[in-house]
């Protein structure tokens, strides 16, 4: 029987890979995936109790609750970064320490519904914004102090992956735990 490689619980949908300029069809599919992200996260957390929400998705990882709040924090930053990228010439965006944010009291204890509601509204605005962008706007860039120069296609690609990535953490935990 052939050996299978161990599953890397950190990357349930694989690692993000920069794809370069996106085609119109690739971009549309990614925007649709961003539009679906709030429902994907909502479905992944549906019916979980406080004990389950306070369970790390992997050893040494964040809890499900922290993960949901992180998605909202991260996607709010992504939305702002894209808006800056469209309205300024290659702005330098501010990174934040996501690990420290995940330890803040609201991230560790607030009901996940708060961040699920944020994601619902945020993604509606974000998708509306991206659908109004011209192709040339997606070629505009931001400077990220940790990631370097990123086009808005790169930002779209990264955060489309990011939503699937963290929903995948939660659904993989549910599968392993039999929830």
């Amino acid at each position: 029987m052939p050996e299978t490689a161990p599953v890397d619980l950190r990357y349930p949908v694989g690692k993000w890979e920069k794809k370069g300029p996106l085609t119109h069809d690739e971009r549309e599919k990614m925007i649709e995936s961003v539009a679906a992200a709030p429902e994907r996260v909502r479905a992944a957390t549906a019916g979980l109790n406080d004990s389950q929400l306070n369970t790390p998705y992997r050893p040494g990882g964040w809890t499900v609750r922290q993960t949901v709040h992180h998605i909202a924090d991260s996607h709010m930053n992504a939305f702002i970064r894209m808006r800056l990228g469209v309205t300024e010439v290659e702005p330098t965006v501010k990174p934040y320490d996501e690990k420290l944010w995940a330890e803040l009291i609201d991230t560790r204890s607030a009901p996940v519904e708060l961040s699920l509601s944020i994601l619902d509204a945020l993604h509606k605005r974000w998708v509306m914004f991206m659908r109004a962008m011209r192709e040339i706007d997606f070629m505009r860039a931001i400077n990220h102090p940790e990631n370097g120069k990123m086009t808005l296609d790169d930002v779209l690609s990264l955060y489309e992956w990011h939503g699937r990535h963290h929903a995948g953490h939660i659904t993989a935990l549910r599968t392993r735990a039999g929830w």
Side-chain angles (χ1 to χ4, degrees), residues 45-85:
T45 59
L48 295 181
N49 62 38
D50 276 340
S51 175
Q52 292 165 326
L53 290 169
N54 292 326
T55 301
Y57 68 82
R58 66 174 173 85
W62 291 329
T63 66
V64 172
R65 183 184 313 275
Q66 287 171 300
T67 301
V68 172
H69 294 312
H70 161 73
I71 298 166
D73 290 343
S74 179
H75 289 205
M76 284 188 281
N77 275 285
F79 176 61
I80 299 274
R81 290 170 180 171
M82 285 191 93
R83 293 172 67 83
L84 288 168

Side-chain angles (χ1 to χ4, degrees), residues 71-129:
I71 298 166
D73 290 343
S74 179
H75 289 205
M76 284 188 281
N77 275 285
F79 176 61
I80 299 274
R81 290 170 180 171
M82 285 191 93
R83 293 172 67 83
L84 288 168
V86 168
T87 61
E88 298 180 16
V89 177
E90 293 192 16
T92 298
V93 298
K94 185 170 182 347
Y96 66 100
D97 190 330
E98 63 185 29
K99 291 175 185 166
L100 287 178
W101 282 35
E103 293 302 322
L104 294 172
I105 190 66
D106 62 315
T107 310
R108 293 177 352 116
S109 63
V112 294
E113 183 56 40
L114 294 175
S115 283
L116 293 172
S117 294
I118 287 170
L119 287 170
D120 287 338
L122 173 65
H123 279 241
K124 284 178 184 160
R125 281 216 35 216
W126 194 7
V127 167
M128 177 187 287
F129 174 70

Side-chain angles (χ1 to χ4, degrees), residues 10-74:
R10 295 172 302 167
Y11 300 101
V13 299
K15 291 184 179 181
W16 175 68
E17 294 179 17
K18 200 171 194 175
K19 296 183 178 17
L22 301 174
T23 67
H24 176 77
D25 288 344
E26 289 171 327
R27 194 176 295 120
E28 285 301 312
K29 286 179 184 170
M30 287 192 182
I31 291 171
E32 283 302 316
S33 182
V34 169
E39 184 51 41
R40 192 178 298 123
V41 176
R42 190 174 289 283
T45 59
L48 295 181
N49 62 38
D50 276 340
S51 175
Q52 292 165 326
L53 290 169
N54 292 326
T55 301
Y57 68 82
R58 66 174 173 85
W62 291 329
T63 66
V64 172
R65 183 184 313 275
Q66 287 171 300
T67 301
V68 172
H69 294 312
H70 161 73
I71 298 166
D73 290 343
S74 179

